[in-house]
Amino acid sequence: MKKVFMDVSKSFNEDLKKINNKTKNGIETFHFEVNEKNEKTLKRIKGDYFSVNFDYVTLHTKEKYIKKELMRILNFLFKDSKPARPLIIGLGNSSVLCDSLGIHTTNKVMATNHFNDFLNIPKVAIFNPEVTEKTGISSFSLIEMVVKKLNPTVIIMIDTLATDNDSYLNNCIEVNNTGIIPGSAIKENKKIDKNTFNIPVIAIGVPLVLDRNKNLYTTPNVHEVIDLTSKIISDALNDLFF
C-alpha cells in the first residue's frame, strides 16, 4: 500500500491550469509532466503522472472506456513499442481485501515467460511478493532477486493506494513512470524506479484506503471496486501485450 501518487486538485494547486486534461464518456483524465523547470517547485520526481477519474456509475457501466483510456496512457509511456520481457508485480497483502488489488490484478494477467521461442509474443512474467509479515523477506529484496534472475525490459507494479482526499477514494486509476515504494505506508522498503535496476518502471494504483490522522479507512463496497478495477487493469495489460 502506497500514498496516492497525485492528488491533482490539492497537490498542484495553482499549477492545475498547466495540466493537460480531457473529459469523455464521463471519464476525466489528467496528465501532468514534471520536468527540470517545475520539479523543485512541485516537490515531485521528474516524469509523467496520469489520473483517470470516474464516478461509481461510470465504473459499473463504462468499463471498456476506462480500459481504453488506460491503454492509451500505457501506449504513451511505452512510446507505442511493446516491451519484450515485462515483469508485472502485484504488490499488497492477499489476506487483507483493501490491500489486495495488485494480486487480484496479476491473477487475471496472462503469463507467457515459461513458453519457448516458438511464440512471437512478449514473455510476460508475473510475481506477487506478498508482505514481509508473511514471507519474512522485504518486498524489495524479493523483487530484486526476481529481476536479477529474469532480466526484464520493464517492470509494471500494481498496488492499492492510500489517499487523504476522499474525493479520490475508489474513483480513479493513477499511473506514473516515476516508480513506487512497496509497503511505503509502513516505511518498509526502498524505492523502485528506473534507476534502481536500470530499466523503466511503471506504477499503477487505485486509491482504496482513506488516510485520516494516521488511521486507515475503507468502504463497504471495496470488493466491488477491486473486482472491477482489477479487471480493467488486467484486460488493458492483456490487450496491450497480446
Side-chain angles (χ1 to χ4, degrees):
M1 189 184 302
K2 179 190 182 297
K3 268 288 192 180
V4 69
F5 308 135
M6 177 181 64
D7 282 349
V8 176
S9 60
K10 185 175 181 179
S11 301
F12 289 113
N13 222 342
E14 293 179 359
D15 295 280
L16 188 62
K17 60 187 178 183
K18 298 179 184 177
I19 298 175
N20 298 316
N21 65 81
K22 71 171 189 174
T23 302
K24 188 176 181 180
N25 297 310
I27 302 159
E28 187 173 29
T29 302
F30 293 97
H31 173 207
F32 195 90
E33 180 184 3
V34 177
N35 52 39
E36 292 84 356
K37 295 180 180 179
N38 58 24
E39 63 175 327
K40 290 183 179 179
T41 303
L42 297 175
K43 297 180 181 179
R44 298 276 175 163
I45 297 169
K46 285 189 294 184
D48 292 283
Y49 297 79
F50 292 87
S51 181
V52 181
N53 301 343
F54 41 78
D55 59 23
Y56 179 84
V57 174
T58 301
L59 177 61
H60 283 72
T61 60
K62 297 183 178 179
E63 290 179 58
K64 67 178 182 179
Y65 294 110
I66 300 174
K67 184 193 82 170
K68 185 178 180 180
E69 187 62 14
L70 181 57
M71 287 185 66
R72 184 188 68 82
I73 291 169
L74 291 171
N75 275 312
F76 172 87
L77 294 174
F78 289 138
K79 311 302 182 195
D80 293 318
S81 176
K82 292 182 183 178
R85 298 186 307 279
L87 171 61
I88 302 175
I89 298 173
L91 297 172
N93 186 341
S94 61
S95 300
V96 178
L97 181 59
C98 64
D99 195 26
S100 63
L101 172 73
I103 297 162
H104 272 80
T105 303
T106 54
N107 285 344
K108 299 169 186 171
V109 177
M110 185 184 303
T112 56
N113 184 67
H114 55 299
F115 293 154
N116 293 322
D117 293 337
F118 65 89
L119 287 178
N120 186 25
I121 57 175
K123 295 179 71 65
V124 177
I126 306 295
F127 181 53
N128 300 324
E130 282 286 354
V131 290
T132 304
E133 289 77 4
K134 286 187 174 184
T135 64
I137 309 169
S138 73
S139 299
F140 180 90
S141 297
L142 291 171
I143 292 168
E144 184 178 36
M145 287 187 278
V146 171
V147 169
K148 287 181 178 179
K149 175 68 175 178
L150 297 181
N151 191 28
T153 54
V154 67
I155 297 174
I156 301 172
M157 294 188 291
I158 304 152
D159 198 7
T160 292
L161 305 179
T163 181
D164 56 8
N165 186 339
D166 56 10
S167 66
Y168 283 87
L169 188 65
N170 299 340
N171 289 336
C172 71
I173 298 174
E174 298 212 345
V175 186
N176 73 36
N177 58 2
T178 63
I180 196 171
I181 304 175
S184 65
I186 56 173
K187 298 181 180 178
E188 173 193 347
N189 286 303
K190 302 175 184 177
K191 181 167 185 171
I192 298 176
D193 60 20
K194 62 182 179 182
N195 298 315
T196 309
F197 305 117
N198 295 314
I199 55 176
V201 173
I202 291 174
I204 305 173
V206 179
L208 299 173
V209 175
L210 185 64
D211 186 350
R212 285 284 168 84
N213 301 318
K214 297 183 179 180
N215 292 312
L216 301 177
Y217 304 91
T218 189
T219 58
N221 69 332
V222 68
H223 64 287
E224 290 180 41
V225 181
I226 289 174
D227 285 345
L228 290 167
T229 54
S230 65
K231 183 178 186 302
I232 289 168
I233 298 168
S234 61
D235 284 353
L237 292 170
N238 282 327
D239 285 1
L240 188 74
F241 294 123
F242 309 116

